[in-house]
Amino acid sequence: EQLVDMKMEIFDRWGKLIYEESGPSASWDGTNPQNNVVQGGVYGYRITYQTIRGEIVTKDGVVTVMSVD
């Protein structure tokens, strides 16, 4: 599906927004806005995008960050 725009949000286990990026190529590398790697654990995400047909779609889910010692 072709995207016109996209917004990605990452939340910690308490629901606090820890990362946000907009644009069709938005991605998250496991760091916070201060470029520190987040602790291992489960994080929620919300991706909202608009298709070329004007449809607004929201997807929610979780991602697990593994810490390597």
Side-chain angles (χ1 to χ4, degrees), residues 12-47:
D12 67 14
R13 72 179 90 185
W14 297 281
K16 179 183 176 189
L17 180 67
I18 63 164
Y19 187 82
E20 181 176 28
E21 187 172 346
S22 294
S25 61
S27 63
W28 183 52
D29 62 1
T31 59
N32 61 23
Q34 294 77 33
N35 283 331
N36 298 319
V37 175
V38 297
Q39 292 183 339
V42 177
Y43 294 82
Y45 68 81
R46 173 170 288 147
I47 298 173

Side-chain angles (χ1 to χ4, degrees), residues 7 18 21 23 30 38 47 52 62 67 69:
K7 178 180 178 182
I18 63 164
E21 187 172 346
V38 297
I47 298 173
I52 60 171
V62 295
S67 59
D69 296 329

